[in-house]
Structure formats: structure tokens, C-alpha cells
Amino acid sequence: MSWHATILTLFPEAFPGILGISLPGKALKDGLWSLETLDIRSFARDKHASVDDTPYGGGAGMVMRPDVLDDAIEGAEARFGKASRKIYLSPRGRVLNQNLVSELAAEESLLLVCGRYEGVDQRVIDKQGLEEVSLGDFVLAGGEVAAMALIEACVRLLPGVLGNETTVDEESFSEGLLEYPHYTRPAVWKGEAVPEVLISGHHEKVRAWRKEQAEAITRSRRPDLYERYVLNRKKV
Ligand code: 4H3
């Protein structure tokens, strides 16, 4: 059984979207992962198929109804089996990073709830034990783009997806560093030459230079990451 994602959304037509092209798209066609989308609206009860209502206590906007969303989650699990983790994409959530991505890529299946409007009724989050995950401190109109980002990050870690082009372990983030600068042809462009060491053919020097660069960039741009890197380095 390969990695599976079930998406609950009011906009199923948004999927697979970007996940259907390039690396994740090929992996999808190759059966290395699979995707199901369920339209939350198809679980609506009344003739108007309403999925949202006004917030108790007043205020702007609409809130997604707990009954409809709960039925959608139960319906999804009846159809595709219990998900390993049930995630609600929300700015209140645990901030996604490469560690959490590795964790989620190692699960068998994820159920991702995409909210719209002001969000979902708190009771369904509690009752279903939805884990809240955030991409960062910003607000989107809906959870769909966040769900896609999470899935794309997971899929590229699945065995067989990346091929030989890159090894995930060589990536900066697997070490806790930002990427070193990359260069390709032409060797001189608009009067700017590529760093000498990269054309030296001296693999050990290249490796050392890249590491130096990655450390310097991380230290200046992300002191938080750098601090953790230094601490982890001392442990090993
Ligand atoms: C996730 C979802 C930001 C993120 C999101 C993030 C719409 C959640 C609605 C949806 C709620 C109101 N915004 N930072 N928006 O990952 O269901 O916020």
C-alpha cells in the first residue's frame, strides 16, 4: 500500500491541480501515492445544501457547520478507511517544518480538512481530534493551497519519487541549514563569474565551500535555525 491523502474540501475541482504535474504528478501516475477528494457539500442535509452558518456570539463572516463536516469526515473514513492522522490546515496550528513533513510522509494515510469562510465549528475539531497544522503566520482564503503544499512536501520524500537527481539527505534542511548558492552555465554572465572553486574540479574543496556558504547564509538569515544547528552539531 502506497501513501494516501484524502482531502475534504468545498472545492474538489482544485485537485490534483499542481500536484498533477511534474514530479508529484508523475509519482501519482506511477502509483507511488494516491489522492481522493470528497466534496464537503455532498454531505449537506437541507435542500439548500448549506455547509455554513452565522457565528454564535455575532461577528463577521460564516462558520462551517459541525454536523456537515463531521458527516464528511465519517463518510471519508467509511469509504477510504481510518486515516493515520487527521489534519485541519489552520494558522493556529503547529507550524509545518521539514521534521513534521518527514513524520507525515512516513504515515500510511492523511485526511486533510480544508476550511473556508472564518473557519470550522470548534466542536468538530475536538470531537474528531483534528490536528491543526499551519504553513506559517499568514491567512489564506481556504485550506486548499496549504493542503497542496503539505502534500507536495511529503510526496517528494516518498521512496522512488525523487529518483537520482537529488538525494534528500544532501539537502540543506536535512542538516538544519539553508541552501548554499547554486550556479550553472554560462561560466561568466553579464560580467559575473561563477566562484572559482566550483570549476576547480576539486570535490573536497567544493564540499567544504558549500558547507561554509550554507552556514554563513543560515547564520545571517535565520539565527534561530543556526543556533539549533550548532547545538545539534555538538551532540553528534
Ligand atoms: C491555513 C489555512 C492559513 C493557513 C488558512 C496556514 C480558511 C483556515 C479559514 C483557512 C480556516 C479561515 N489560512 N497558515 N485558511 O497554513 O478554515 O482562516
Side-chain angles (χ1 to χ4, degrees), residues 88-91 115-120 133-136 138-143 146:
Y88 171 48
L89 286 310
S90 142
R116 284 269 154 179
Y117 320 115
E118 299 305 310
V120 309
V133 172
S134 169
L135 295 193
F138 55 90
V139 182
L140 297 165

Side-chain angles (χ1 to χ4, degrees), residues 122-201:
Q122 183 62 39
R123 290 168 294 179
V124 75
I125 299 177
D126 299 339
K127 186 219 164 203
Q128 287 288 344
L130 300 182
E131 261 182 81
E132 292 183 59
V133 172
S134 169
L135 295 193
D137 296 337
F138 55 90
V139 182
L140 297 165
E144 287 79 8
V145 166
M148 286 182 190
L150 184 153
I151 293 171
E152 184 170 308
C154 288
V155 163
R156 60 186 290 287
L157 298 186
L158 299 176
V161 172
L162 273 192
N164 301 325
E165 287 169 45
T166 327
T167 50
V168 171
D169 314 326
E170 258 176 47
E171 270 169 18
S172 55
F173 258 124
S174 66
E175 271 216 272
L177 290 174
L178 301 178
E179 285 272 290
Y180 52 78
H182 300 288
Y183 298 89
T184 187
R185 274 183 285 274
V188 181
W189 177 69
K190 298 198 172 178
E192 292 290 331
V194 156
E196 190 71 47
V197 60
L198 298 180
I199 35 185
S200 69

